[in-house]
Amino acid sequence: MPYPPPSRALPGPRRRTLLASAAGAALLAGCSAGPADPDGGTGGSPSLAERARARAARDSEDLVARYDAVLAAHPAVERLVAPLRAEAVRHMEAFGGGASAPSSPPSATPSPSASTSPSASVRAVPADQRDALTELAAAERTLADERAKALMGLPGELARLLASVAAAGAAHAFLLTEGAR
C-alpha cells in the first residue's frame, strides 16, 4: 500500500527546528561569551582575568628559575630538563611574562637579571641528581594542581590556556618523575 503524500508539506526547516536552533545558539553564546568587559573586570581595579594572568606568568617565571637552578647544579640532566624548561618559558610568555628571559638554558651558574630574579620559592638544589629531579617534579605537579583549581570563574580563552598549561605541567611532572628513576 503506498503512503499518502504529506499534507501541506513545505520545503525548508520546520518552525520547531528553527526555534530549537535559535535556543541552542543562544545557550552556546551565553556559555562562551565573557562579560561585557573583555577582561571580566569592573573598570577600576585589575580584573580577575588580569590578576590570574599575572599570577600564572609569575608562577611560570619561578618555575623557569627552578629549572635553571637544577640545570646549573646538574648539567648531566640537560637532555631531559632542557626541553621541559623551554616549554615553561613558552608558558610564561603565553601569560605575558618574562619578555627578556633567555630562551636557552644557562650553561653555567644562572645570573639573575632584574626581570627574572628567582623568587623565594626557589630553594637550594639538592646535591643528589634524583632528589633534584624529584623536587622539580613536585614543583610542576603542585603548580599544575593550583592552575587546575584556578580555572573556575575565568573567561573562556584564559581558562582554556590555563587548563592546557596545567595539563602540560602534569605531563612534565610525570616525565621528571620517570627521569629520576
Side-chain angles (χ1 to χ4, degrees), residues 5 11 16 28 42 55-56 62 72 86 92 95 100 123 132 134 146 148 161-162 164:
R16 279 188 231 156
L28 287 175
T42 57
R55 178 179 171 112
D62 292 346
M92 174 181 58
F95 291 119
S100 63
R123 299 184 308 262
T134 300
E146 289 172 5
L161 176 61
L162 199 61
S164 176

Side-chain angles (χ1 to χ4, degrees), residues 115-178:
S115 64
T116 60
S117 62
S119 72
S121 66
V122 178
R123 299 184 308 262
V125 177
D128 181 56
Q129 182 176 306
R130 286 183 177 189
D131 291 342
L133 290 176
T134 300
E135 278 192 12
L136 194 53
E140 279 275 17
R141 190 174 303 108
T142 300
L143 186 54
D145 291 345
E146 289 172 5
R147 287 176 169 167
K149 289 176 186 172
L151 291 174
M152 296 304 293
L154 293 179
E157 197 60 36
L158 180 58
R160 285 186 285 274
L161 176 61
L162 199 61
S164 176
V165 172
H172 292 180
F174 173 78
L175 293 170
L176 290 165
T177 302
E178 291 297 309

Side-chain angles (χ1 to χ4, degrees), residues 41-128:
T42 57
S45 64
S47 71
L48 174 65
E50 290 169 343
R51 290 190 310 266
R53 185 178 292 277
R55 178 179 171 112
R58 279 191 314 271
D59 289 345
S60 292
E61 288 172 2
D62 292 346
L63 191 58
V64 169
R66 282 180 177 259
Y67 274 108
D68 289 344
V70 169
L71 283 168
H74 302 286
V77 299
E78 183 174 358
R79 185 175 176 143
L80 170 67
V81 174
L84 302 178
R85 181 205 178 272
E87 287 298 314
V89 169
R90 284 188 200 97
H91 298 159
M92 174 181 58
E93 292 168 350
F95 291 119
S100 63
S103 61
S104 62
S107 57
T109 304
S111 58
S113 67
S115 64
T116 60
S117 62
S119 72
S121 66
V122 178
R123 299 184 308 262
V125 177
D128 181 56

